[in-house]
Amino acid sequence: MSKKVSLTGIKPTGQVHIGNYLGAIKQALQLSEKYDARYFIADYHALNTVRDKEEMSQSTYGVAASWIASGLDPEQVLLYRQSDVPETFELSTFLMAFTAKGHMNRAHAYKDKSAKNQADGKDADFGVNMGLYTYPVLMAADILLFDTDIVPVGKDQKQHVEICADIAGSINHCYGEELLRIPTPVMNEMTETVTGLDGRKMSKSYDNTIPLFMPPKKLRKLVMKIVTNSQDMEEPKDPDTCNVFALYKLFADEQRQEDLKARYRAGGLGWGHAKQELFEILEETFAAKRDKYDELMADTSYLDKVLAEGATKAREIASATIGRLRKASGIGSL
Ligand code: ADP
Ligand code: TRP
């Protein structure tokens, strides 16, 4: 029996951060040991916000390099760029015909933006383009094109995968056969929402991220900016309500967590000390990966080669899905 398929995508919008790593990349790479893994760079999703050519191309390389530096082996995992698979856009048009407009109204990326507009006294659709409004349809095309069983993502993407499953269900029902595989989102409870420097969800849109591969000096400076309360060094502190510890525990084993907790509770540990501990564990976790990342970014010819090979393989799978849909629907037949 062939393996089940795991698929996920990351947008090339700025630098990949530790929320992306823990929410998506790390679990996706673990899953790639058992699943047929298909991971990609969602550049057409980024186009909704990224309008600078250089930024788009550098972030695209950055996402590809982050995957590989984090351990993705392109011989084992299919790595490709969304825009290299034009079948995605045909499928997206197909899906539009089966997508309830109400679903788009309720999809959180659009809903959050229009709610914020209204709260700011602006028109609900101010600054909303159709790419943002129909975002879940393009994402559904990414997923359904590749016969996906599971989608490793952070919690913010759960609703999009559910919308995708719903659209696929309508199509299967309409044609009376299992044309499209129904996907399920997969999340890790510990890391489904990683907090950022200010204690809110870590996100590029909140400008509170810790990028994965920063030079150590910059990384340390950023870690020192994590928001804490104003307790003195001598006071005992509560690890469970602390933004520094919230991140530390995602990297430390049980023993190290217990040790640091005890030091918090004993008093005498200043915020600077706690942040230094976090900085050190981040360095331990990412220093070797950062070297690999820097090497890949210094000469992008290897990334170009991997993405070109990925594109060829991805299109083979994609055209089979499109062929199936065209045949079942009578589209393109004489
Ligand atoms: P951002 O929200 O920073 O723009 P993306 O939308 O590109 O990041 O997210 C790429 C992947 O990383 C998605 O699977 C998303 O769910 C996951 N992710 C993003 N931020 C976090 C976070 N703070 N915690 C857990 N997962 C996250
Ligand atoms: N929408 C995802 C995000 O904002 C990125 C993405 C695009 C994606 N297509 C996908 C994730 C398909 C999983 C599967 O992070």
Side-chain angles (χ1 to χ4, degrees):
M1 223 181 75
S2 60
K3 284 189 194 168
K4 291 200 164 185
V5 174
S6 167
L7 172 142
T8 198
I10 295 186
K11 287 179 293 185
T13 46
Q15 286 175 295
V16 174
H17 56 75
I18 63 177
N20 302 141
Y21 176 78
L22 294 169
I25 296 179
K26 190 175 174 210
Q27 56 159 345
L29 291 177
Q30 283 162 354
L31 290 164
S32 73
E33 289 166 19
K34 290 213 178 108
Y35 286 76
D36 194 348
R38 299 164 181 182
Y39 301 147
F40 71 98
I41 304 149
D43 49 354
Y44 264 107
H45 277 102
L47 187 63
N48 290 324
T49 52
V50 178
R51 300 295 165 79
D52 181 80
K53 175 183 163 187
E54 236 357 78
E55 188 189 341
M56 181 69 88
S57 111
Q58 275 311 107
S59 304
T60 300
Y61 282 132
V63 174
S66 298
W67 274 114
I68 296 175
S70 302
L72 181 149
D73 173 2
E75 298 290 320
Q76 305 294 327
V77 174
L78 178 56
L79 181 66
Y80 59 98
R81 179 168 34 203
Q82 181 187 37
S83 57
D84 284 336
V85 188
E87 289 79 3
T88 308
F89 314 109
E90 177 166 352
L91 180 54
S92 189
T93 300
F94 195 103
L95 301 183
M96 289 284 183
F98 292 84
T99 303
K101 178 168 173 279
H103 261 341
M104 301 299 98
N105 295 338
R106 286 185 293 273
H108 75 80
Y110 166 70
K111 208 172 141 187
D112 292 353
K113 175 118 186 166
S114 63
K116 185 168 184 308
N117 277 339
Q118 278 165 310
D120 295 347
K122 296 181 187 148
D123 184 87
D125 285 337
F126 179 78
V128 174
N129 60 45
M130 286 305 282
L132 176 69
Y133 187 60
T134 61
Y135 189 98
V137 179
L138 181 56
M139 180 159 160
D142 296 329
I143 297 171
L144 298 173
L145 197 55
F146 288 92
D147 302 322
T148 306
D149 293 287
I150 58 165
V151 187
V153 278
K155 197 176 177 187
D156 59 331
Q157 298 302 315
K158 182 169 178 261
Q159 184 202 28
H160 292 151
V161 182
E162 287 164 356
I163 293 175
C164 169
D166 197 80
I167 301 171
S170 306
I171 293 174
N172 289 345
H173 178 74
C174 170
Y175 295 107
E177 55 176 314
E178 185 78 32
L179 287 171
L180 298 168
R181 203 174 289 176
I182 308 289
T184 317
V186 175
M187 280 151 305
N188 176 324
E189 207 180 312
M190 274 282 282
T191 55
E192 64 184 19
T193 309
V194 175
T195 52
L197 299 176
D198 55 1
R200 291 188 294 171
K201 174 192 168 239
M202 185 178 290
S203 171
K204 284 163 252 174
S205 25
Y206 295 150
D207 200 16
N208 65 355
T209 69
I210 301 179
L212 257 191
F213 302 123
M214 284 191 120
K217 264 195 179 161
K218 278 197 171 169
L219 175 64
R220 189 165 184 284
K221 241 180 147 174
L222 208 55
V223 168
M224 292 298 157
K225 283 193 188 155
I226 297 175
V227 177
T228 51
N229 63 24
S230 53
Q231 281 181 297
D232 288 338
M233 181 157 114
E234 293 319 318
E235 288 179 70
K237 300 181 177 62
D238 179 7
D240 298 325
T241 54
C242 169
N243 293 331
V244 182
F245 194 80
L247 289 170
Y248 184 82
K249 71 174 187 223
L250 302 177
F251 297 97
D253 62 23
E254 282 288 315
Q255 186 57 50
R256 285 174 82 172
Q257 287 186 41
E258 288 310 314
D259 289 350
L260 188 57
K261 271 190 190 170
R263 290 173 61 202
Y264 264 75
R265 288 177 181 137
L269 177 93
W271 291 127
H273 301 129
K275 290 173 180 177
Q276 179 65 24
E277 294 288 336
L278 173 61
F279 166 67
E280 284 173 16
I281 206 161
L282 288 173
E283 271 298 286
E284 267 175 53
T285 314
F286 294 115
K289 295 182 169 69
R290 179 177 58 220
D291 291 345
K292 178 79 190 166
Y293 176 87
D294 289 343
E295 190 190 309
L296 291 163
M297 292 299 279
D299 173 8
T300 51
S301 55
Y302 175 71
L303 297 175
D304 285 328
K305 179 176 150 282
V306 168
L307 293 177
E309 286 171 7
T312 308
K313 287 188 212 152
R315 289 199 69 181
E316 271 172 39
I317 306 171
S319 60
T321 310
I322 292 294
R324 227 163 44 230
L325 282 179
R326 283 178 161 235
K327 193 165 169 233
S329 61
I331 293 253
S333 60
L334 289 173

